[in-house]
């Protein structure tokens, strides 16, 4: 009887609206954090691409413009 009532209490606490709301807030925070990390990596990749283009294509452009 003791373990059953304890289990029921744990289930009530776990399924309470506050706990569900807290879990939703945690998942929302994790999602936002993940999206920020993805955006950061995208920006870094874009910066690397731009630097690559400037480093390799700019001299070629100058060569063809001033030959």
């Amino acid at each position: 009887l003791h373990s059953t009532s304890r289990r029921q209490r744990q289930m009530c606490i776990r399924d309470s609206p506050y706990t569900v709301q807290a879990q939703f807030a945690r998942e929302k925070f994790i999602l936002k954090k993940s999206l920020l990390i993805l955006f950061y990596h995208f920006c870094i990749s874009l910066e690397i691409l731009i630097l690559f283009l400037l480093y390799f294509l700019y001299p070629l452009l100058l060569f063809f413009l001033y030959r």
Side-chain angles (χ1 to χ4, degrees):
L1 182 67
H2 176 70
S3 63
T4 304
S5 64
R6 182 176 179 175
R7 183 175 297 145
Q8 286 174 339
R9 260 196 330 272
Q10 287 173 339
M11 289 174 64
C12 284
I13 291 169
R14 187 194 69 208
D15 296 334
S16 72
Y18 174 75
T19 308
V20 172
Q21 189 177 17
Q23 178 66 26
F24 178 74
R26 277 193 298 275
E27 289 174 1
K28 188 176 172 184
F29 172 76
I30 291 169
L31 179 62
K32 282 183 178 180
K33 188 175 177 183
S34 299
L35 289 174
L36 282 173
I37 289 169
L38 282 173
F39 180 71
Y40 171 78
H41 285 288
F42 172 77
C43 290
I44 295 295
S45 299
L46 188 61
E47 183 180 5
I48 290 170
L49 177 65
I50 290 169
L51 288 173
F52 172 81
L53 291 174
L54 286 174
Y55 184 76
F56 286 106
L57 294 182
Y58 186 67
L60 285 175
L61 179 67
L62 288 177
F63 173 75
F64 285 112
L65 283 175
Y66 296 111
R67 64 181 177 138

